Amino acid sequence: MDFLNPVINGFAVVLEPTNLLYCLIGVVIGMLIGVLPGLGPAATIAILLPLTYNVEPVTAIIMLAGIFYGAQYGGTITSVLLRLPGEASSVVTVFDGYQMAKQGRAGTALGLASIGSFIGGTAAIIGLTFLAPIVASFALDFGPPEYTALAMLGILLVATISSGSKAKALIAAALGLLLATVGRDIFTGESRFTFGSLQLADGIDFVPIAMGIFGLGEILYNLEERHRAAKAPSKVANVWPSRQDLKQASGAIGRGSVLGFFLGILPGGGATIASMASYAMEKKRAKQPERFGKGAPEGVAGPETANNAAATSSFIPLLTLGIPANATMALMFGALLIQGVTPGPQLVEQNPELFWGVVNSMYIGNILLLIMSLPLVGIFVKILRVRAAILAPVTALITLLGAYTINNSMFDVTLVVVFGIIGYLMKKFGFEPGPLVLAFVLGELLESSVRRSLLMFGGDSVGFLGRPISATLLIIFVLVALLPVIRSVAAKRKSTGATAVTPEIKEKV
């Protein structure tokens, strides 16, 4: 019962009218930006960060969380109707969802995606409710050496597991760590990389970087890409799947819930990896894999379930360890710090209203999404016709005004513009911005943990290996770092072996 009391109190927090209203606002905004291709949850959260300054921390995080998981719902609509993923996590939904739409079954595809998303999200919230306190309790034993190893592993996993070039992701992460060192040394107070600027003496604030890289950078990039979008259909019918469709997709929904939950916990995992892994698993298990890519309902239900489950479970490492699992969680991390709340193992005990209020708001948010997603499909189809030439300038103006209101400073606006250009160039040349922002967020934690650890060990770095948890995490770090080399050697041996066998086979033939 001691465990249930804070959970029940969390419902009392989220059922307050203000928090309910912000939960609704969050999921509606999330669905809208999921529908509009390009402007993802990370960009939207970055743009809206200044608006959260004047509301209670739990209210702000409830709204931002609603944007995140609401976007997973909305991203499906453009994947099915336009063959254009609104979100990276909806990329694989295009394969079968668009084929179903071409067969006149767009409504069925959207219905299966909504039901799967609801089940996957709800299953992950239940898992989060029971697992998060256990992880937080375990993490209470963490000290600087453990946080050093965990931060290093988190950055490496995000850089190596995320989609795109691994080398470019590592370069982006290195740039993020470099940016984190700008300002006064946290131990000696000496200036670093400030070039004599007093405005850089306190370091670069997280908000201008996030608003520039994700907000303005995405807007500039999407202006280039949006003209390639197809036209939305005028009407979508039959959004309630038949009993046969539900029976066919039920296994994929169950497996997607479990797979998405566990992949969401891993640093670097997240919704995109979960949806791709689910699609691959369903295709591998299918008795007729050739149906995939031609309108298989499992190809829509599995990935959509998995990405919602992963989006929810990715809150576990953020709230319990203080380690963001992906770029959007890095923005959540920044939002919590702005509100004066430090995510980590102490959060569950010291701020249970916020912790359980945010967790329980997801139950409410998922129900709201299920209620709204199917009846509002027609409205979202109309929204898709909004021209980028109208939307982009308005969003850019809101971003710059938001940047100015942080400190009433033109320097912040300048920083947003500079990082907006950097974000645009990164997207254009295939550099994922996620590792940069995540490394920047974890940079201070990593530096302070390394230096405190070395003070503990008297300058002897071998001390990291003398503590079981930090030693285990460092071993995993080395294995992950060496994984590409191991794969390359294995592939080379396999190729050599096949070449050696071929003449013998030829002789027998």
Side-chain angles (χ1 to χ4, degrees):
M1 289 303 292
D2 290 343
F3 165 72
L4 288 177
N5 284 337
V7 179
I8 294 168
N9 291 336
F11 277 111
V13 171
V14 73
L15 289 176
E16 289 176 13
T18 305
N19 292 334
L20 272 179
L21 176 64
Y22 274 82
C23 184
L24 178 64
I25 292 171
V27 297
V28 170
I29 293 175
M31 288 186 78
L32 286 174
I33 57 103
V35 168
L36 295 170
L39 197 65
T44 308
I45 290 171
I47 292 168
L48 294 180
L49 277 176
L51 299 181
T52 63
Y53 283 14
N54 297 321
V55 296
E56 290 295 318
V58 64
T59 307
I61 304 304
I62 283 174
M63 184 186 76
L64 297 180
I67 292 172
F68 181 43
Y69 56 77
Q72 311 304 322
Y73 275 77
T76 312
I77 296 173
T78 48
S79 295
V80 172
L81 300 182
L82 299 180
R83 203 183 177 186
L84 185 67
E87 277 303 302
S89 59
S90 301
V91 168
V92 292
T93 308
V94 167
F95 303 153
D96 287 282
Y98 186 65
Q99 290 301 322
M100 288 180 74
K102 284 177 70 177
Q103 296 162 14
R105 305 183 69 210
T108 303
L110 292 173
L112 285 174
S114 295
I115 293 168
S117 297
F118 173 75
I119 294 173
T122 305
I125 300 165
I126 294 170
L128 171 62
T129 302
F130 287 96
L131 186 61
I134 298 171
V135 176
S137 173
F138 173 73
L140 285 172
D141 295 332
F142 279 28
E146 287 73 25
Y147 274 108
T148 299
L150 193 61
M152 287 172 58
L153 182 61
I155 294 170
L156 182 67
L157 282 172
V158 169
T160 54
I161 295 178
S162 60
S163 57
S165 165
K166 310 307 176 201
K168 289 179 177 178
L170 286 171
I171 291 171
L175 180 60
L177 287 174
L178 184 64
L179 289 171
T181 62
V182 174
R184 292 192 183 91
D185 185 298
I186 52 177
F187 284 80
T188 65
E190 291 182 13
S191 294
R192 302 181 301 192
F193 306 116
T194 60
F195 304 103
S197 168
L198 291 176
Q199 290 159 313
L200 288 175
D202 291 330
I204 302 174
D205 195 33
F206 167 76
V207 178
I209 288 184
M211 295 181 77
I213 295 281
F214 286 110
L216 199 59
E218 289 284 337
I219 294 166
L220 294 173
Y221 182 74
N222 290 324
L223 273 175
E224 228 177 56
E225 297 293 312
R226 184 76 189 268
H227 69 278
R228 298 177 189 171
K231 286 187 178 178
S234 57
K235 191 177 180 183
V236 176
N238 301 323
V239 292
W240 295 103
S242 66
R243 188 174 293 180
Q244 177 63 28
D245 288 325
L246 285 173
K247 185 179 178 183
Q248 199 169 353
S250 58
I253 290 173
R255 288 185 288 274
S257 299
V258 177
L259 182 70
F261 177 78
F262 285 106
L263 287 180
I265 297 172
L266 296 177
T272 305
I273 299 294
S275 62
M276 291 180 177
S278 173
Y279 188 82
M281 184 172 71
E282 293 307 320
K283 189 174 180 180
K284 194 173 182 180
R285 284 179 55 87
K287 292 179 181 175
Q288 296 174 306
E290 63 274 11
R291 290 190 302 109
F292 281 74
K294 297 175 183 175
E298 308 96 295
V300 175
E304 285 301 316
T305 305
N307 67 27
N308 272 271
T312 303
S313 64
S314 61
F315 278 88
I316 292 178
L318 173 72
L319 296 176
T320 59
L321 300 175
I323 300 292
N326 50 53
T328 310
M329 286 299 109
L331 293 169
M332 289 285 185
F333 185 94
L336 284 163
L337 292 180
I338 288 168
Q339 294 285 348
V341 178
T342 304
Q346 306 287 346
L347 183 66
V348 181
E349 289 188 4
Q350 294 182 355
N351 210 334
E353 293 83 11
L354 185 143
F355 181 85
W356 291 111
V358 171
V359 171
N360 292 344
S361 73
M362 297 177 190
Y363 289 107
I364 307 294
N366 256 301
I367 294 170
L368 290 173
L369 285 168
L370 183 66
I371 293 170
M372 292 191 301
S373 59
L374 297 184
L376 298 183
V377 164
I379 295 173
F380 291 133
V381 169
K382 290 179 182 175
I383 291 170
L384 284 170
R385 298 197 182 93
V386 177
R387 286 185 298 167
I390 298 171
L391 191 66
V394 173
T395 315
L397 183 63
I398 292 171
T399 306
L400 296 177
L401 282 173
Y404 180 76
T405 57
I406 299 170
N407 298 310
N408 293 333
S409 163
M410 283 306 295
F411 182 71
D412 287 338
V413 177
T414 306
L415 281 179
V416 170
V417 173
V418 169
F419 283 109
I421 294 169
I422 292 172
Y424 163 73
L425 293 174
M426 288 180 75
K427 292 280 286 184
K428 190 173 178 64
F429 293 104
F431 286 84
E432 285 292 326
L436 184 151
V437 175
L438 187 80
F440 176 79
V441 167
L442 292 179
E444 185 176 339
L445 172 70
L446 180 61
E447 183 184 358
S448 63
S449 298
V450 168
R451 293 170 73 172
R452 286 194 174 100
S453 300
L454 291 175
L455 286 173
M456 284 171 58
F457 303 140
D460 185 2
S461 56
V462 180
F464 286 101
L465 300 176
R467 296 168 67 105
I469 297 174
S470 63
T472 305
L473 291 171
L474 286 174
I475 290 169
I476 296 172
F477 176 88
V478 172
L479 289 174
V480 172
L482 292 177
L483 195 59
V485 179
I486 295 169
R487 281 180 177 167
S488 174
V489 171
K492 197 173 180 181
R493 283 186 177 178
K494 191 176 178 181
S495 174
T496 307
T499 307
V501 169
T502 303
E504 296 174 8
I505 295 173
K506 284 183 177 177
E507 283 178 13
K508 289 179 182 178
V509 173

